[in-house]
């Protein structure tokens, strides 16, 4: 199994897009990328806009190789819509290239879904339906492709129990030599996702981590609960961990890493690059653009 992280916060954008190659088939997981429209009251810095352009090109490139595309939920950093948004990775032509001729395994558009995602799912299916090879709702499904299998979780909360952000799917890919779980936006904050991950006994888990940058604002106890659930998963599965996405929007993520019982990688570190959590340092990036004195813990081009 070949696993290639494509886009994420450690690579400068909001995303958790991954390409998985098993034998002659390619699976593109959550092909979306976006930027936070506001952070610290500021719009994206130039470095973020450049990173988004690069992420779009990478997603487009791996979409050409993929036979299967999976979508865990309908937030724009996890799927590419067919309209041109302000900071979403989309235009109709770009989206068509990602989905045309693919088997789409997607979150159910009407069950276990909140209102905003139901609307987005309807718009997505209206456009993707005529161009995809086939579309199947993946919630709770097991699929055997011969030289590898895929199993999808039932819909689990996007974050804590009762989250207003709706539900997501996790996906497990197993080629007989390696067992990967892409945990999407569970944030490791709910019992259902923790139990499902442990039951699968994965070798590698790719997940988003708790949104600790929102603690005290939109979420409570994210650090403590996320840390507890992740350490339990590590103890019971001994899996390698890649954490990125929500957690990396917090400048303190290296401290969170230190408190885990096994040190995780980010997408950037998996690819042997330095982390570039651009959104977390947006204030500094804007100052640098203005010629003011500010420092960031990574190299800027």
């Amino acid at each position: 199994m070949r696993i290639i992280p494509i886009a994420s916060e450690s690579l400068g954008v909001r995303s958790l897009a991954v390409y998985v190659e098993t034998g002659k088939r390619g699976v593109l997981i959550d092909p979306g990328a976006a930027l936070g429209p506001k952070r610290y009251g500021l719009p994206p810095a130039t470095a973020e806009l450049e990173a988004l352009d690069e992420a779009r090109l990478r997603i487009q490139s791996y979409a050409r190789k993929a036979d299967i595309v999976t979508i865990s939920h309908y937030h724009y950093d996890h799927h590419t819509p067919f309209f041109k948004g302000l900071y979403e990775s989309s235009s109709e032509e770009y989206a068509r290239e990602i989905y045309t001729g693919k088997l789409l395994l997607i979150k159910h558009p009407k069950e276990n879904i909140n209102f905003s995602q139901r609307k987005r799912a309807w718009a997505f299916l209206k456009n993707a339906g005529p161009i995809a090879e086939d579309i199947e709702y993946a919630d709770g499904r097991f699929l055997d492709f011969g030289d590898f299998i895929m199993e999808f979780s039932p819909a689990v909360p996007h974050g804590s129990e009762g989250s207003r952000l709706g539900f997501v799917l996790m996906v497990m890919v197993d080629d007989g030599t390696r067992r990967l779980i892409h945990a999407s936006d569970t944030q490791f904050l709910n019992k259902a996702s923790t139990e499902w991950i442990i039951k699968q006994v994965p070798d590698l888990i790719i997940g988003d981590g708790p949104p600790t940058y929102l603690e005290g604002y939109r979420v409570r106890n994210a650090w403590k609960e996320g840390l507890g659930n992740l350490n339990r998963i590590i103890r019971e599965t001994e899996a390698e961990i890649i954490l990125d996405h929500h957690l990396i929007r917090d400048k303190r993520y290296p401290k969170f890493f230190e408190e885990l019982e096994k040190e995780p990688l980010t997408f950037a570190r998996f690819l042997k690059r330095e982390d570039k959590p651009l959104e977390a340092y947006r204030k500094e990036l804007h100052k640098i653009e203005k010629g003011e004195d500010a420092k960031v813990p990574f190299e800027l081009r």
Side-chain angles (χ1 to χ4, degrees):
M1 183 187 296
R2 187 170 172 235
I3 298 165
I4 302 174
I6 301 173
S8 69
E9 271 74 353
S10 73
L11 299 173
V13 298
R14 291 187 171 190
S15 181
L16 203 64
V18 176
Y19 177 75
V20 180
E21 193 170 78
T22 59
K24 296 181 179 179
R25 306 199 72 169
V27 181
L28 180 58
I29 301 174
D30 279 10
L35 300 177
K38 290 290 182 182
R39 185 75 192 274
Y40 312 114
L42 297 167
T46 300
E48 293 177 83
L49 296 170
E50 291 172 349
L52 181 60
D53 287 340
E54 293 170 2
R56 288 171 171 169
L57 290 174
R58 289 195 299 271
I59 290 171
Q60 189 176 48
S61 174
Y62 283 103
R64 295 188 186 113
K65 303 174 186 286
D67 310 285
I68 300 166
V69 175
T70 75
I71 294 175
S72 64
H73 62 299
Y74 298 97
H75 287 164
Y76 295 137
D77 49 351
H78 290 269
H79 87 294
T80 292
F82 283 81
F83 65 88
K84 188 173 180 58
L86 182 59
Y87 299 122
E88 279 78 48
S89 56
S90 190
S91 69
E92 184 174 351
E93 182 180 353
Y94 174 78
R96 289 178 67 86
E97 183 162 356
I98 292 172
Y99 302 119
T100 297
K102 313 299 183 186
L103 168 60
L104 305 185
L105 303 175
I106 65 173
K107 168 78 183 65
H108 200 292
K110 294 183 179 179
E111 297 177 1
N112 294 309
I113 192 166
N114 62 5
F115 179 71
S116 65
Q117 289 199 58
R118 186 190 294 259
K119 286 175 59 180
R120 294 176 183 184
W122 175 85
F124 173 76
L125 287 168
K126 179 182 176 182
N127 289 283
I131 62 174
E133 177 187 276
D134 195 11
I135 299 178
E136 297 185 24
Y137 305 153
D139 308 43
R141 295 276 305 280
F142 176 91
L143 299 105
D144 190 339
F145 293 94
D147 53 353
F148 70 99
I149 61 172
M150 297 178 70
E151 184 170 349
F152 289 82
S153 72
V156 297
H158 184 298
S160 301
E161 299 287 346
S163 169
R164 294 182 180 181
L165 295 173
F167 296 83
V168 304
L169 300 185
M170 297 177 284
V171 60
M172 184 274 293
V173 183
D174 185 348
D175 68 349
T177 63
R178 202 172 195 186
R179 201 169 175 89
L180 163 71
I181 286 179
H182 184 282
S184 190
D185 282 12
T186 67
Q187 300 176 0
F188 298 98
L189 291 181
N190 61 80
K191 182 178 179 181
S193 60
T194 300
E195 297 290 347
W196 191 85
I197 290 169
I198 291 171
K199 183 180 178 181
Q200 302 304 315
V201 196
D203 301 301
L204 175 64
I205 301 165
I206 296 175
D208 61 327
T212 54
Y213 75 109
L214 295 174
E215 197 149 43
Y217 170 54
R218 292 184 182 176
V219 296
R220 296 181 180 179
N221 301 318
W223 190 291
K224 181 179 178 181
E225 291 184 17
L227 192 66
N229 287 331
L230 273 162
N231 277 330
R232 181 188 167 200
I233 289 168
I234 290 168
R235 286 193 301 270
E236 297 195 29
T237 68
E238 299 183 354
E240 299 298 322
I241 309 290
I242 298 176
L243 289 181
D244 217 305
H245 202 31
H246 292 108
L247 178 61
I248 311 303
R249 296 178 199 168
D250 188 338
K251 292 179 181 178
R252 303 173 298 164
Y253 75 87
K255 184 176 185 299
F256 187 94
F257 280 15
E258 290 174 2
E259 295 182 19
L260 288 170
E261 294 181 16
K262 180 181 287 187
E263 184 176 1
L265 295 173
T266 61
F267 277 23
R269 295 179 192 183
F270 184 91
L271 296 169
K272 303 188 185 307
R273 305 177 190 173
E274 67 170 344
D275 291 343
K276 291 190 176 181
L278 300 180
E279 181 179 320
Y281 288 87
R282 187 176 288 180
K283 283 191 294 187
E284 290 84 352
L285 292 174
H286 274 282
K287 287 181 179 180
I288 291 169
E289 284 183 22
K290 295 176 183 177
E292 299 175 8
D293 186 30
K295 294 182 179 180
V296 294
F298 46 83
E299 185 177 346
L300 287 171
R301 289 179 300 182

